């Protein structure tokens, strides 16, 4: 990291957050104790909702009273998980059918755009890039009213197919950003120059030179788009319903009733979070890569 | 991975001449534009086109499902500020302001604190970092389920969730009605949002700290700078761009906050913000009004985002 004017690291160099770069300025022993005490305190606070989720999900509906809310279940039971799974199973499958194509398609589009905008530039490329980026920040309410009409007009089947299309379109900016940063920082110009001297055209260069070396970028965008599509609620509530929508809609229906079954709701929240949590745990480094890209800097 | 079959390169494909030297240039960047064009068309239509459409709706009198498309100028906008029942829109803006202030300050303070605790590197750092950041992987809808339970408004004998903990720890004075408080409820609504995003702020600042050349620290310490002065005068100034990014990201997320509120409280007067108001208005098929609220929301976000994008563009060009 040589530049000081640009604070955040390029999106797709995972692990930049890790490891201190210096060994000076160590804390005193007392300072260390205070540091750890604080860190552990915050750890407990951050994990508290997770504790509540897990513990409550294993209680039976009857055991959820005002007293003993924070204690472990007296009788561990899967009854609430059963109930939640029955309510969420169809939408759970549908959400995979949504999130996987979204992740793949928007990553591919982002890769093509990122490559052009970083390594095959044209006059006005910066302006075009800025205009693309703007699409990432808009409140989607500002397009939602006509969007509902237009997806019907072009004949997209309601539910998952509509949501796939919509997530792909509005995922273009972030994927473009991630890939542009990736190509700008990690792919040497010489590679492209070499293939140009060879006489390879843009499409050929893209297919045979760029795609193979873009794999780390793909990991980041695929995780990012998978997670966003999986966790999305805004598009889902505007463009689908409980019978054809993703899991966030089904979960909100399960948990949002007038007198909700808290045990089942919490089991449901855990079920709805498992895939993205699993991705976070297994592929955490790349997950963070996507988060970093959110800060635009290249 | 090279190819020697130069003669069949797509660049050689016949193309409409643009004449003179422009032809050479077009040959150079034409294929790039081609590769970019599907995305450009989609975004032109679905971002800019649809924003234009929403703007058109916002100056029309389409207050129901019937296609009456009269032009009413800015009437829908002035009505939001002066003629809304119970000042509903102004109320939603106030809610948004309280939420935004508490959320941004809270997430920033927690995130910076965590980054400060971790940035010098300690054993077990990875575990702390991973756990502080994990809420980012969870949807607002899922975390809303547990936060609704935690922020149970019952007190005294009826205390549940966090209020129960406060009672059991003899901290009864901390018991409060959370988001159901008619004046400051939105401050409580920011708590789950802080929980969810403080780890993200930490990650951005950690990256910032670690981007500072070690020589700067060493030099400061050679000069005998105290820890306070080191941070205040050497390290923090280096993190200004990081802080700017963080503020912009948190700010625009806050203004768009929808999922969390829908999940914790549902659409209710007491916690209504413009993003939720749009949804509520659409349920009554008042398209013109919903469009007007959306456009105000878009403008709020644009005021923050557009200068940032322009600034970012300049910084990049300079470097």
């Amino acid at each position: 990291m040589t530049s000081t004017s640009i604070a955040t690291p390029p999106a797709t160099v995972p692990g930049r957050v890790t490891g201190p770069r210096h060994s000076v300025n160590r804390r005193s022993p007392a300072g260390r104790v205070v540091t750890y005490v604080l860190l552990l305190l915050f750890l407990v606070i951050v994990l508290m909702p997770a504790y509540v989720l897990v513990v409550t999900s294993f209680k039976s509906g009857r055991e959820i009273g005002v007293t003993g809310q924070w204690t472990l279940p007296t009788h561990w039971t899967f009854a609430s998980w059963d109930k939640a799974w029955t309510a969420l199973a169809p939408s759970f499958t549908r959400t995979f059918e949504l999130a996987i194509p979204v992740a793949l398609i928007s990553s591919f589009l982002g890769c093509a755009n990122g490559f052009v905008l970083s390594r095959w530039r044209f006059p006005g490329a910066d302006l075009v890039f800025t205009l693309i980026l703007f699409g990432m920040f808009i409140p989607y309410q500002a397009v939602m009213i006509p969007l509902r009409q237009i997806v019907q007009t072009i004949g997209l089947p309601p539910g998952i197919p509509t949501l796939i299309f919509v997530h792909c379109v509005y995922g273009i900016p972030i994927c473009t950003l991630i890939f542009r940063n990736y190509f700008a920082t990690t792919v040497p110009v010489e590679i492209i120059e070499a293939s140009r001297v060879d006489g390879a055209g843009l499409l050929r260069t893209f297919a045979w030179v760029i795609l193979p070396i873009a794999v780390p970028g793909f990991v980041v965008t695929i995780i990012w788009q998978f997670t966003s599509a999986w966790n999305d609620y805004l598009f889902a509530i505007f463009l689908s319903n409980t019978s054809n929508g993703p899991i966030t809609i089904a979960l909100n229906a399960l948990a949002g009733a007038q007198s909700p079954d808290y045990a089942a709701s919490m089991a449901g929240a855990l079920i709805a979070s498992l895939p993205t949590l699993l991705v976070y745990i297994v592929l955490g480094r790349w997950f963070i890569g996507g988060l970093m890209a959110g800060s635009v800097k290249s | 991975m090279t190819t020697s079959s130069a003669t069949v390169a797509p660049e050689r494909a016949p193309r409409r001449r643009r004449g003179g030297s422009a032809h050479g240039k077009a040959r150079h960047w034409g294929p790039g534009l081609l590769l970019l064009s599907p995305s450009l068309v989609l975004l032109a239509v679905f971002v800019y086109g649809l924003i234009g459409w929403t703007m058109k709706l916002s100056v029309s009198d389409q207050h129901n499902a019937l296609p009456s498309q009269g032009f009413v100028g800015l009437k829908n906008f002035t009505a939001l500020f002066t003629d809304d029942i119970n000042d509903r829109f102004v109320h939603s803006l106030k809610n948004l302001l309280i939420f935004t202030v508490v959320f941004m300050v809270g997430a920033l303070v927690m995130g910076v604190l965590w980054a400060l605790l971790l940035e010098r590197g300690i054993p077990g750092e990875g575990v702390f970092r991973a756990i502080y950041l994990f809420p980012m992987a969870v949807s607002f809808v899922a975390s809303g389920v547990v936060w609704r339970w935690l922020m149970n408004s019952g007190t005294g004998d009826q205390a549940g969730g966090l209020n129960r903990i406060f009672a059991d720890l003899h901290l009864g004075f901390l018991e409060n009605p959370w988001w159901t408080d008619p004046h400051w409820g939105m401050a409580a609504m920011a708590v789950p949002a802080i929980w969810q995003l403080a780890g993200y702020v930490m990650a951005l600042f950690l990256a910032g700290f670690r981007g500072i050349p070690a020589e700067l620290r060493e030099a400061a310490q050679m000069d005998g700078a105290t820890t306070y002065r080191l941070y205040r005068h050497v390290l923090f100034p280096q993190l200004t761009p990081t802080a700017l990014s963080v503020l912009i990201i948190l700010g625009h997320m806050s203004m768009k906050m929808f999922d969390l509120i829908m999940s914790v409280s549902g659409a209710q007067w007491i916690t209504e913000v413009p993003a939720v108001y749009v949804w509520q208005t659409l349920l009554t098929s008042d398209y013109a009004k919903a469009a007007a609220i959306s456009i105000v929301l878009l403008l709020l976000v644009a005021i923050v985002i557009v200068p940032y994008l322009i600034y970012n563009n300049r910084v990049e060009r300079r470097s």
Side-chain angles (χ1 to χ4, degrees), chain A residues 1 4-9 17-22 24-27 32 35-36 38-40 42-43 45-50 52-53 66 69-70 109 112-113 115-117 120-123 126 128 130-139 141-143 145-150 165 169-170 172-173 180 196 198-204 206 208-209 212 231 233-234 237-238 248 251-252 255-256 262 265-266 269 273 276-277 280 287-288 291-292 294-298, chain B residues 1-3 5-6 8-11 28-29 31-33 35-36 39-40 42-43 46-48 50-51 53-54 57 110 113-114 116-123 128-139 141-142 145-150 157-162 164-165 195 200 203-204 206-208 210-211 213-214 217-218 221 230 238 241-242 245 249 252 256 258-259 262-263 275 278-279 282 287 290-291 294 297-298 301 305-306 308-309 312-313 316-317 319:
Chain A
M1 223 161 304
T4 51
S5 68
I6 291 163
T8 42
V17 192
T18 59
R21 297 168 48 85
H22 48 83
V24 291
N25 195 24
R26 284 255 168 257
R27 284 182 168 91
R32 284 198 148 210
T35 305
Y36 270 106
L38 283 174
L39 284 171
L40 284 172
F42 288 124
L43 200 72
I45 293 173
V46 171
L47 284 177
M48 196 170 55
V52 169
L53 271 173
V66 172
Q69 275 192 333
W70 290 86
L109 289 171
N113 302 342
F115 166 58
V116 172
L117 290 170
W120 203 285
R121 294 165 60 81
F122 51 89
D126 280 332
V128 168
T130 305
L131 288 172
I132 291 176
L133 274 192
F134 183 65
M136 178 169 117
F137 295 104
I138 60 166
Q141 277 87 351
V143 293
I145 305 165
L147 183 64
R148 283 167 120 187
Q149 282 184 37
I150 207 170
F165 175 77
V169 171
Y170 295 104
I172 290 174
R180 180 176 176 272
R196 259 189 207 177
D198 262 355
L202 172 116
L203 292 177
R204 188 176 291 262
F206 180 68
W208 292 104
V209 182
N231 287 341
Y233 180 70
L234 180 61
I237 194 177
F238 274 88
T248 45
L251 175 61
N252 209 41
Y262 270 118
S265 308
M266 302 235 182
S273 307
T276 49
L277 276 180
Y280 175 65
F287 181 87
I288 294 170
L291 287 182
M292 294 298 155
S295 66
V296 174
K297 292 292 194 322
S298 59
Chain B
M1 223 163 302
T2 52
T3 167
S5 51
V8 290
E11 261 197 298
H28 178 68
W29 46 257
L33 273 181
L35 198 56
L36 203 57
S39 301
L40 290 186
L42 284 173
L43 291 179
F46 285 92
V47 174
Y48 296 96
L50 294 194
I51 287 176
W53 190 334
T54 306
L57 268 176
M110 295 305 278
L113 181 58
W114 293 349
L116 279 173
L117 288 171
L118 290 174
E119 67 100 11
R120 282 189 273 185
I122 52 159
F128 287 112
R129 226 173 0 152
I131 291 176
Y132 289 162
L133 194 58
F134 101 89
M136 268 305 275
V138 180
S139 68
V141 176
V145 171
V146 64
W147 278 100
R148 184 169 32 171
W149 185 93
L150 285 169
D157 288 344
Q158 287 302 307
L162 288 172
R164 185 86 232 157
I165 287 273
W195 174 76
Y200 180 35
L204 289 170
L206 265 183
R210 279 160 193 182
R217 271 175 211 260
E218 282 154 14
Q221 285 187 330
L230 172 72
Q238 294 286 321
T242 305
S245 299
I249 293 166
H252 100 279
K256 299 196 287 188
F258 176 81
D259 305 13
M262 291 292 279
S263 171
V278 174
W279 169 246
L282 272 186
Y287 296 106
S294 308
L297 192 58
L298 177 69
V301 172
I305 288 298
V306 170
Y308 175 64
L309 288 176
N312 215 48
N313 206 337
E316 195 172 281
R317 219 174 290 165
S319 59

Side-chain angles (χ1 to χ4, degrees), chain B:
Chain B
M1 223 163 302
T2 52
T3 167
S4 54
S5 51
T7 47
V8 290
E11 261 197 298
R12 299 283 170 93
R15 186 179 287 107
R16 195 155 48 94
R17 288 188 145 267
R18 294 171 63 94
S21 61
H23 172 65
K25 272 192 186 157
R27 252 172 56 125
H28 178 68
W29 46 257
L33 273 181
L34 203 68
L35 198 56
L36 203 57
S37 55
S39 301
L40 290 186
V41 170
L42 284 173
L43 291 179
V45 172
F46 285 92
V47 174
Y48 296 96
L50 294 194
I51 287 176
W53 190 334
T54 306
M55 283 178 173
K56 194 176 154 223
L57 268 176
S58 73
V59 292
S60 77
D61 64 349
Q62 197 175 354
H63 296 295
N64 48 47
L66 300 170
S68 57
Q69 293 279 10
F71 174 79
V72 296
L74 295 177
K75 193 171 145 244
N76 293 321
F77 291 93
T78 49
L80 281 179
F81 290 95
T82 57
D83 200 20
D84 210 13
I85 298 164
N86 289 329
D87 275 337
R88 187 174 168 182
F89 184 65
V90 176
H91 166 78
S92 77
L93 284 178
K94 272 187 202 153
N95 277 345
L96 184 60
L97 182 68
I98 296 174
F99 178 88
T100 301
V101 170
V102 178
F103 165 61
M104 287 181 71
V105 171
L108 201 64
V109 167
M110 295 305 278
V112 170
L113 181 58
W114 293 349
L116 279 173
L117 288 171
L118 290 174
E119 67 100 11
R120 282 189 273 185
I122 52 159
E125 183 201 319
V127 176
F128 287 112
R129 226 173 0 152
I131 291 176
Y132 289 162
L133 194 58
F134 101 89
M136 268 305 275
V138 180
S139 68
F140 278 119
V141 176
S143 65
V145 171
V146 64
W147 278 100
R148 184 169 32 171
W149 185 93
L150 285 169
M151 299 197 290
N152 188 314
S153 61
T155 50
D157 288 344
Q158 287 302 307
L162 288 172
N163 283 350
R164 185 86 232 157
I165 287 273
F166 293 149
D168 290 351
L169 294 176
H170 303 290
L171 296 167
F173 64 94
L174 283 175
E175 288 183 42
N176 71 82
W178 299 102
W179 56 266
T180 58
D181 181 282
H183 299 293
W184 299 104
M186 283 314 281
M189 192 59 92
V191 173
I194 295 169
W195 174 76
Q196 203 130 9
L197 282 148
Y200 180 35
V201 177
M202 170 203 71
L204 289 170
F205 271 98
L206 265 183
F209 272 119
R210 279 160 193 182
I212 300 173
E215 301 80 52
L216 267 179
R217 271 175 211 260
E218 282 154 14
Q221 285 187 330
M222 295 278 205
D223 295 342
T226 60
T227 307
Y228 169 77
R229 293 178 70 89
L230 172 72
Y231 278 94
R232 171 73 183 78
H233 295 291
V234 180
L235 301 182
F236 282 151
Q238 294 286 321
L239 295 176
T240 314
T242 305
L244 182 67
S245 299
V246 168
L247 287 175
I248 300 288
I249 293 166
L250 293 181
H252 100 279
M253 284 189 77
S254 175
M255 284 189 261
K256 299 196 287 188
M257 198 56 71
F258 176 81
D259 305 13
L260 178 70
I261 293 164
M262 291 292 279
S263 171
V264 172
S265 69
Q268 290 201 28
W269 158 266
I270 208 164
T271 55
E272 192 166 77
V273 293
V276 175
Y277 195 3
V278 174
W279 169 246
Q280 289 294 92
T281 310
L282 272 186
L283 292 180
T284 65
S285 294
D286 190 342
Y287 296 106
K289 183 174 174 183
I293 303 170
S294 308
I295 294 300
V296 174
L297 192 58
L298 177 69
L299 289 177
L300 284 177
V301 172
I303 289 170
V304 174
I305 288 298
V306 170
Y308 175 64
L309 288 176
I310 293 171
Y311 159 83
N312 215 48
N313 206 337
R314 288 221 184 111
V315 170
E316 195 172 281
R317 219 174 290 165
R318 241 183 286 138
S319 59

